[in-house]
Amino acid sequence: MKLRPLGDRVVIKRVEAEETTKGGIILTASAKEKPQMAEVIAAGPGGVIDGHEVKMELKVGDKVLFSKYSGNEIKFEGEEFIILSQREILAVVEK
Amino acid sequence: MKLRPLGDRVVIKRVEAEETTKGGIILTASAKEKPQMAEVIAAGPGGVIDGHEVKMELKVGDKVLFSKYSGNEIKFEGEEFIILSQREILAVVEK
Amino acid sequence: MKLRPLGDRVVIKRVEAEETTKGGIILTASAKEKPQMAEVIAAGPGGVIDGHEVKMELKVGDKVLFSKYSGNEIKFEGEEFIILSQREILAVVEK
Amino acid sequence: MKLRPLGDRVVIKRVEAEETTKGGIILTASAKEKPQMAEVIAAGPGGVIDGHEVKMELKVGDKVLFSKYSGNEIKFEGEEFIILSQREILAVVEK
Amino acid sequence: MKLRPLGDRVVIKRVEAEETTKGGIILTASAKEKPQMAEVIAAGPGGVIDGHEVKMELKVGDKVLFSKYSGNEIKFEGEEFIILSQREILAVVEK
Amino acid sequence: MKLRPLGDRVVIKRVEAEETTKGGIILTASAKEKPQMAEVIAAGPGGVIDGHEVKMELKVGDKVLFSKYSGNEIKFEGEEFIILSQREILAVVEK
Amino acid sequence: MKLRPLGDRVVIKRVEAEETTKGGIILTASAKEKPQMAEVIAAGPGGVIDGHEVKMELKVGDKVLFSKYSGNEIKFEGEEFIILSQREILAVVEK
């Protein structure tokens, strides 16, 4: 089974960013807040949303930052996902 | 008797997802939260909603995910349904 | 005297749904919540509402479901009615 | 002196509805809630309100129902009036 | 110095309405609430406000009623004024 | 360094109004509330704001009145300024 | 890795303003509030946002002032950034 988001929605999954403090210490998961970085798992087709044409700029595999106050947390096949509108994605993380 | 939703609304009914933990244990209903997966029982015709043309993308039988904070809970002929706008459906679950 | 609702409003009156539990027991009024099913008593003409053309899809005699949080409760000639916008009607109950 | 409401506003004055209970007892004012029935005392000219053309459908002398939560209570020449938008009038009471 | 309001705003100043109770007793200021009647002291030019063309219908010297919850209270040259949008003026008092 | 506001924003700085009570007593700063009169220090270029064309009507040096509840207080080079939209300026004070 | 903001968003990073009091005393960081001045680290492409064309006026390296109540705080590669819409930038600081 897979998820097909509607309209301008995307399905994302939190990813652990490798994070080193300025002093060079690598933080373990327990020492950090819940990550706000995620990977796009599925993206809707866009189209007319509330009367406005929305073009999708995100694609599967993109690493993104999102606001910790946005989106719907969903459990699906034993894993946690977040579904939100593309508008709620703040930035893409590029290499 | 049956329900005919107006405009961009859909009538959905919660379904129990078969859910297995990562360790392979099958969760019983009592060990889980109220499911956010549902089946579309009836879909409105779409049309002009608040001045914007809305095309229906959902059809009867679709399995969908919805936000636990959206929709109106309705009891009808002894069963529980939720009526919400298509816009409040987050994603379709496909096989 | 009768009520003529303006714009996209409808006047509805709660109706008791005959309701049987799965086990076949007929519930009396006292064992139930306030019903959310109602009958349309009068419907406005529609027209331009907040700048958007609204076409009326409800007619007198329709059985409808509505959200328990919407509408204005009105007492008129000793009876209780609810007046709300057609947009707040969730679904029509058909035979 | 008289009141000339602007735009889509109307000036209304509460009226006591003659009200008889189902058992035939006539309720006195003290046994009732504040009435939600009113008479239109003056009506604005309509026109463009917030960018939308509004046509006035109410005229002086109309008996109307209004929501108890809407409108501005005004004292004028020793009498109490309510000023609200035509949109906040729920229905006209016709004979 | 004088005040020139911008856009659709008007500057008004409360006026004491001569008020007689039904029994013929003239109320003094101390026995009354703050008056909601005011005189227009200055009116803006109107024009495009939030994308909508607004035509001014009020002129200096008009007596008006306004909602006690609207407007900004301003002290200017030792006197108290209220500045609000024409939209917040409920009605004009005519002789 | 200087401030260049974006869009329809203006940078203003509170000014003490010379204020005399009706009885002729000149109030000192400590006897008064924070002044709501300000001088325009910089004005944005206007343009399309939220899809609406906004024309700037304020210019540097204008004395203005503003609502005490609007704007962002900013400290810049040791001085206090307020940055707000032209729409939040209530009136211009003219000589 | 770098951040690419979407739509009309910008990524900014707080900067310490050199600040001297009127009496000539240089304030240290501990004596000051969190600075509201920031440098633009990355700017989105603009485009159609909620149905309105938005042109970007900010570019990388711009010093800006922003409201302390706006934006999303993000931790990225051990540093703190704020991501907000260009509309939430109050002014550019020019030399």
Side-chain angles (χ1 to χ4, degrees):
Chain A
M1 290 202 292
K2 63 174 210 184
L3 295 175
R4 176 168 59 86
L6 295 180
D8 63 347
R9 289 208 177 82
V10 291
V11 179
I12 62 178
K13 189 168 164 50
R14 288 178 203 275
V15 293
E16 296 294 319
E18 284 173 48
E19 193 171 357
T20 324
T21 62
K22 281 188 171 173
I25 302 160
I26 293 169
L27 294 168
T28 63
S30 63
K32 290 186 299 183
E33 290 186 354
K34 231 172 172 179
Q36 283 175 265
M37 197 183 293
E39 187 177 334
V40 177
I41 301 299
V48 179
I49 312 294
D50 295 335
H52 303 307
E53 180 72 32
V54 175
K55 210 186 87 190
M56 297 306 284
E57 294 172 59
L58 296 170
K59 58 182 189 306
V60 173
D62 278 351
K63 295 282 188 307
V64 296
L65 293 178
F66 63 100
S67 162
K68 55 188 149 188
Y69 304 113
S70 62
N72 291 277
E73 308 226 341
I74 289 285
K75 242 187 199 164
F76 182 67
E77 301 192 321
E79 285 185 288
E80 285 184 7
F81 298 94
I82 296 162
I83 303 184
L84 31 53
S85 290
Q86 175 175 269
R87 185 76 187 110
E88 293 169 293
I89 297 293
L90 301 171
V92 175
V93 180
E94 298 191 323
K95 293 195 187 174
Chain B
M1 290 202 293
K2 63 175 210 185
L3 295 175
R4 176 167 59 87
L6 295 179
D8 63 347
R9 289 208 177 82
V10 290
V11 180
I12 62 177
K13 188 167 164 50
R14 289 178 202 275
V15 292
E16 296 295 319
E18 284 173 49
E19 194 171 355
T20 325
T21 62
K22 282 187 169 173
I25 302 160
I26 293 168
L27 294 169
T28 62
S30 62
K32 289 185 300 182
E33 290 187 355
K34 230 172 173 180
Q36 283 175 264
M37 197 184 294
E39 187 177 335
V40 176
I41 301 299
V48 179
I49 311 295
D50 296 335
H52 303 307
E53 181 72 32
V54 176
K55 211 185 88 190
M56 297 306 284
E57 294 172 59
L58 296 169
K59 56 182 191 305
V60 174
D62 279 352
K63 295 283 188 305
V64 295
L65 293 179
F66 63 101
S67 163
K68 55 187 149 187
Y69 304 113
S70 62
N72 290 277
E73 307 226 342
I74 290 285
K75 242 187 199 165
F76 182 66
E77 301 192 320
E79 284 186 288
E80 285 184 8
F81 298 94
I82 296 162
I83 303 184
L84 32 53
S85 291
Q86 175 175 270
R87 185 76 186 109
E88 293 169 294
I89 297 293
L90 301 171
V92 175
V93 181
E94 298 191 320
K95 293 193 188 179
Chain C
M1 290 202 292
K2 63 175 210 185
L3 295 175
R4 176 167 61 85
L6 295 179
D8 63 346
R9 289 208 177 83
V10 290
V11 180
I12 62 177
K13 189 168 163 50
R14 287 177 202 276
V15 293
E16 296 294 320
E18 285 173 49
E19 194 171 354
T20 325
T21 62
K22 281 188 167 171
I25 301 160
I26 293 168
L27 293 169
T28 64
S30 64
K32 289 184 299 182
E33 290 186 355
K34 230 172 172 179
Q36 281 175 266
M37 197 184 293
E39 187 177 334
V40 176
I41 301 300
V48 178
I49 312 294
D50 295 336
H52 303 308
E53 181 73 30
V54 176
K55 212 186 87 189
M56 297 306 286
E57 294 173 60
L58 296 170
K59 57 183 190 305
V60 174
D62 278 352
K63 296 283 189 304
V64 296
L65 293 179
F66 62 101
S67 163
K68 55 188 149 186
Y69 304 114
S70 62
N72 290 277
E73 307 226 341
I74 290 285
K75 241 187 199 166
F76 182 67
E77 301 192 319
E79 284 186 288
E80 284 184 9
F81 298 94
I82 295 162
I83 304 184
L84 33 52
S85 290
Q86 175 176 269
R87 185 74 186 112
E88 294 169 294
I89 297 293
L90 301 171
V92 175
V93 181
E94 298 191 320
K95 292 193 189 178
Chain D
M1 290 205 290
K2 62 174 212 186
L3 295 175
R4 176 167 61 84
L6 295 180
D8 63 346
R9 289 209 176 82
V10 291
V11 180
I12 62 177
K13 189 169 163 48
R14 288 177 201 277
V15 294
E16 295 294 320
E18 286 174 47
E19 195 171 354
T20 324
T21 62
K22 281 190 169 171
I25 300 161
I26 293 167
L27 293 169
T28 63
S30 63
K32 290 185 298 184
E33 289 186 356
K34 229 172 171 178
Q36 281 175 267
M37 197 185 293
E39 187 177 334
V40 177
I41 301 300
V48 178
I49 312 294
D50 295 335
H52 303 308
E53 180 73 30
V54 176
K55 212 186 88 188
M56 297 306 286
E57 294 173 60
L58 295 170
K59 57 182 189 306
V60 174
D62 278 352
K63 296 283 188 304
V64 296
L65 293 179
F66 63 100
S67 163
K68 55 188 149 185
Y69 304 113
S70 63
N72 291 276
E73 307 227 340
I74 289 285
K75 241 186 200 168
F76 182 67
E77 301 192 319
E79 286 187 287
E80 284 184 8
F81 297 94
I82 295 161
I83 303 184
L84 33 52
S85 290
Q86 176 176 269
R87 185 73 187 113
E88 293 169 295
I89 297 293
L90 301 171
V92 175
V93 180
E94 299 191 320
K95 292 192 190 180
Chain E
M1 290 204 291
K2 60 174 213 186
L3 295 175
R4 176 167 60 84
L6 295 180
D8 63 346
R9 289 210 176 83
V10 290
V11 180
I12 62 177
K13 189 168 163 50
R14 289 178 201 276
V15 294
E16 295 295 319
E18 287 173 47
E19 195 171 355
T20 324
T21 62
K22 281 190 169 170
I25 301 160
I26 293 167
L27 293 169
T28 63
S30 63
K32 289 185 299 184
E33 289 187 354
K34 230 172 172 178
Q36 282 176 267
M37 197 185 292
E39 187 177 334
V40 176
I41 302 299
V48 178
I49 312 295
D50 295 336
H52 303 309
E53 180 73 30
V54 176
K55 211 185 89 189
M56 297 307 285
E57 295 173 60
L58 295 170
K59 57 182 187 308
V60 173
D62 279 353
K63 296 283 187 306
V64 296
L65 293 178
F66 64 100
S67 163
K68 55 188 151 186
Y69 304 114
S70 62
N72 291 276
E73 307 227 342
I74 290 284
K75 242 187 200 166
F76 182 67
E77 302 192 321
E79 286 186 287
E80 283 184 8
F81 297 94
I82 296 161
I83 303 183
L84 32 53
S85 290
Q86 175 176 269
R87 185 74 187 112
E88 292 168 294
I89 298 292
L90 301 171
V92 175
V93 180
E94 298 191 321
K95 293 193 187 175
Chain F
M1 289 203 292
K2 60 174 213 185
L3 295 175
R4 177 167 60 85
L6 295 180
D8 62 347
R9 288 209 178 83
V10 291
V11 180
I12 62 178
K13 189 168 164 51
R14 289 178 201 276
V15 293
E16 296 295 319
E18 286 173 47
E19 194 171 356
T20 324
T21 63
K22 281 189 171 172
I25 301 159
I26 293 168
L27 294 168
T28 62
S30 62
K32 289 185 298 185
E33 289 187 353
K34 229 172 172 179
Q36 282 175 265
M37 197 184 292
E39 187 177 334
V40 176
I41 301 300
V48 178
I49 312 295
D50 295 335
H52 303 309
E53 180 73 30
V54 176
K55 211 185 88 189
M56 296 307 284
E57 294 173 60
L58 296 169
K59 58 183 187 306
V60 174
D62 279 352
K63 296 282 187 307
V64 297
L65 293 178
F66 64 100
S67 162
K68 55 188 150 188
Y69 304 114
S70 62
N72 291 276
E73 307 226 343
I74 289 285
K75 241 186 201 167
F76 182 67
E77 302 192 320
E79 286 186 288
E80 283 184 7
F81 297 95
I82 296 162
I83 303 183
L84 31 53
S85 290
Q86 174 176 270
R87 185 75 187 112
E88 293 168 293
I89 297 292
L90 301 171
V92 175
V93 181
E94 297 191 323
K95 293 195 186 174
Chain G
M1 289 202 292
K2 61 175 212 185
L3 294 175
R4 177 167 60 85
L6 295 180
D8 63 347
R9 289 208 177 83
V10 291
V11 179
I12 63 178
K13 189 168 164 51
R14 289 178 202 276
V15 293
E16 296 294 319
E18 286 172 48
E19 193 170 357
T20 324
T21 63
K22 281 188 172 174
I25 301 160
I26 293 168
L27 294 169
T28 63
S30 62
K32 290 184 300 183
E33 290 187 353
K34 230 172 172 179
Q36 282 175 265
M37 197 183 294
E39 188 177 332
V40 177
I41 301 300
V48 178
I49 312 295
D50 294 335
H52 303 308
E53 179 73 31
V54 175
K55 210 185 89 189
M56 296 307 284
E57 294 172 60
L58 296 169
K59 58 183 187 305
V60 173
D62 279 352
K63 295 283 187 305
V64 296
L65 293 178
F66 63 101
S67 162
K68 54 188 150 188
Y69 304 114
S70 62
N72 290 276
E73 307 226 342
I74 288 285
K75 242 187 201 166
F76 181 67
E77 301 192 322
E79 285 186 288
E80 283 184 9
F81 298 94
I82 296 162
I83 304 183
L84 31 54
S85 290
Q86 175 176 267
R87 185 75 187 112
E88 294 169 293
I89 297 292
L90 301 171
V92 175
V93 180
E94 298 190 322
K95 293 195 185 174

